[in-house]
Amino acid sequence: MPMTKWPLFITVGQVIIFPYYLFWLKNSTLTFSLFALIFALFSFGAALGYHLQQKWTMPIALPIALLGMIYMLTLDVESLYIISVMQVILGFLQGYFRAWHVGQETYKLQVVWHYVIVGLAMVALSTVTIVVPQIFVAIYGFMLVICAIVMALKKCKKK
Amino acid sequence: MKRSTKTGLLVGLVGVMTGVVWWQIPIEKRTYGLSQTAMTTDYTGLMPEKVAQINEVKKREELVAIVKEAQKAKRTISIAGLQHSQGGHTYYKDGIVIDMRAFNRVLSVNEQQKTVKVEAGASWMDVQEALAKKGLALRVTQSQSIFTIGGSLSVNAHGRDIRYGSMASTVRELTIVNAQGEFETLKRGRDDERLQYILGGYGLFGVIVDVTLDVTDNTVYTMHTTEMKMADYAPHMRSILKDDRIAMHYARISVAPNSFLEDVYTIDYEKMEAIDHTSPLKGESSERLSKLGLDLGRQGGALENGFWQLQRGYMKLIDDKEINRNDAMRSESTFMEYTKPGRVEVLQEFFVPLDEFEAYVNELQQVLPHDDKKNDVKVHNITLRYVAKDDATALNYATDDMMGFVVLLQHGTSEQSIEEAKTLIRQWTDVTLKHEGTYYLPYYPYQTTDQFKKAYPNAASVYDEKQQQDPDIIFRNYFYDNYVKHAND
Ligand SMILES: Cc1cc2nc3c(=O)[nH]c(=O)nc-3n(C[C@H](O)[C@H](O)[C@H](O)COP(=O)(O)OP(=O)(O)OC[C@H]3O[C@@H](n4cnc5c(N)ncnc54)[C@H](O)[C@@H]3O)c2cc1C
């Protein structure tokens, strides 16, 4: 895949996987109010990530790999205390990634495709019965980590 | 807005919100207990059973009436305190359960003689409330105060005290309702022969109605915490036993993969001059932080290593801090609650003579998995305690001065998982028996009858005494069926 297409894969993937992630989160948080609060945590984390991307930059492969690892952790984590910390990190990384993506030349072009692909994927997924949502989330996480490694390698080669 | 102010605000927002979320996370609470309409369980919920009738007792005469009624109706009676026992010790299929929790008055505190008289359904919390006001404290109790007096005496519990011997030996006098439905008062020194079956008798020799216990001063202690290698622990223990200033002690041995059964930290309580007459009893504190730590440990692997480091850090923080005796006997308990469906956390306790400590741990290192992250049975914690030789009970786990290994384990609740837990615990018990050790009986009966008989050579005499005192086996529970009944097989 050319370097410019990676962000599309990541944003589309994030949206597709998010319902499963939410499903897992709702199961883990037991009550709606706690679920909502933990979600607020995600949002504030994202605001911080977006804001800080404009100040400090790191190779984009790093936040992508970290995102992947957090998604993979859903397989193993039960403690609400740990989940709440995961939420902050996840929000932060997504905010950071978004801020980076917006700055890319291809962003506007990809937004249209993003919505179309997400719509089609969700239609396809509506036919699948999900028993353990975190398996999907973790597979996606794994793909992100691979993706980050390939991105980093390609970048090194280019240099 | 300046950029740095914005960053600060956002970081603050995330921090505050994390605090709010942590505050909102409910402290888990196990649902278990007596039920007339649904299944009755104890603390682990592992052995649900339907009982016929639950009688909450408020007056002593009601106990007599229940025993007589049971005799007539040919029903069994089980006795329940706060049900922290874990192997069906407090109920029996289609039987009557006596719920002792409302029978909980502290009847008198004698400051001159240093005794307390209390109804058996009272919890240690109730007793501590009464004693603390008079500058007094218990001699022997568990490390937490969430148990009834009757339940604790019936298992002959132990805790952090290293000077007063067994809990049973602190009983001056007690009243029971026996299997014939009569009150009997038994005194230390006069009725030791009978008392040895009731204390540590798991509710099989009558209902304990009230008890007079020896108590002591609510002395102020300084806590000394020390880190050491496992091989240095037994010498440390011997040296504090010789040092009269040390009144209480416990230790933890690492179960983290990178220091498994190698690193130990100890907490010794040194007597100060002062006796505390005024401080209110301490409540639960930092339960969320403790829960977070334990949750990290439960993840196993690197996080369990992290949890051990956290505990070491905490120990350094409390070094040289003061605490009174009552507070040292009422540790936090809510943070330990664990309620994941399909999994359960249970306790086991093994005792070995102090002289065997090092050889025993060396052998355990060969037998137990150092990293159980991927296993179904996981060991989360081992606390070490000293348990003095006991001559006051027939089902005696401290046949010598012993070190107790209190083990917190987690496993699944499916049949296969329970079988896996049995395999591991039976192996562990074999190693314990090989080192002249025993194991504690209030917990789930993972062990075999053979192991029980080896650990408790007196079991046959307990069986005989039971047949003599209660030939119709009116007082019955699953402890009787799982263990005592087979003592003569
Ligand atoms: C989290 C936890 C921590 C623990 N810590 C310790 C510890 O530090 N040290 C230790 O030694 N043990 C410890 N235990 C074990 C505990 O001490 C025993 O299980 C104790 O019996 C609990 O008291 P209870 O009131 O819950 O008794 P229950 O479980 O209600 O009863 C225990 C036994 O006593 C009998 N019984 C109860 N009341 C009476 C009565 N009035 N007359 C006659 N028989 C009666 C019951 O029939 C039963 O056989 C712990 C257990 C848990 C779950």
Side-chain angles (χ1 to χ4, degrees), chain B residues 49-91:
Chain B
E49 201 51 82
K50 191 91 187 66
V51 302
Q53 189 179 318
I54 295 162
N55 287 70
E56 191 193 73
V57 174
K58 289 210 172 85
K59 292 196 197 112
R60 57 183 52 220
E61 294 72 27
E62 290 167 7
L63 291 167
V64 173
I66 295 167
V67 175
K68 300 246 168 180
E69 184 192 319
Q71 281 170 340
K72 259 196 231 140
K74 298 223 172 307
R75 284 224 187 261
T76 60
I77 294 176
S78 314
I79 310 155
L82 279 158
Q83 290 197 284
H84 283 88
S85 49
Q86 306 186 350
H89 299 64
T90 49
Y91 52 91

Side-chain angles (χ1 to χ4, degrees), chain B residues 295-363:
Chain B
D295 277 351
L296 282 178
R298 282 177 174 131
Q299 302 291 321
L303 290 178
E304 198 163 17
N305 292 331
F307 178 46
W308 178 248
Q309 296 310 323
L310 278 179
Q311 292 186 68
R312 288 177 56 204
Y314 175 70
M315 282 304 125
K316 286 193 185 120
L317 277 182
I318 62 168
D319 192 25
D320 285 337
K321 290 249 164 13
E322 288 193 350
I323 189 167
N324 66 43
R325 186 173 178 91
N326 276 319
D327 285 347
M329 290 179 150
R330 47 189 289 129
S331 285
E332 282 71 13
S333 59
T334 43
F335 75 95
M336 287 174 64
E337 296 278 334
Y338 180 77
T339 57
K340 189 171 177 226
R343 310 273 314 158
V344 68
E345 282 190 358
V346 298
L347 290 167
Q348 278 290 303
E349 187 163 356
F350 303 96
F351 307 93
V352 288
L354 184 53
D355 288 342
E356 289 291 319
F357 180 84
E358 196 179 337
Y360 176 65
V361 177
N362 279 332
E363 191 159 349

Side-chain angles (χ1 to χ4, degrees), chain B residues 374-407:
Chain B
K374 300 249 163 356
N375 300 4
D376 193 70
V377 190
K378 298 170 198 293
V379 175
H380 288 327
N381 182 59
I382 302 182
T383 304
L384 304 174
R385 298 171 169 161
Y386 173 76
V387 185
K389 185 173 191 296
D390 168 40
D391 300 313
T393 61
L395 278 178
N396 178 4
Y397 53 80
T399 42
D400 197 345
D401 291 340
M402 302 286 234
M403 287 314 307
F405 290 64
V406 188
V407 184

Side-chain angles (χ1 to χ4, degrees), chain A residues 59-74:
Chain A
I60 197 62
L62 185 63
I64 293 174
L66 290 175
L67 261 178
M69 286 178 205
I70 294 279
Y71 282 132
M72 282 160 77
L73 275 181
T74 56

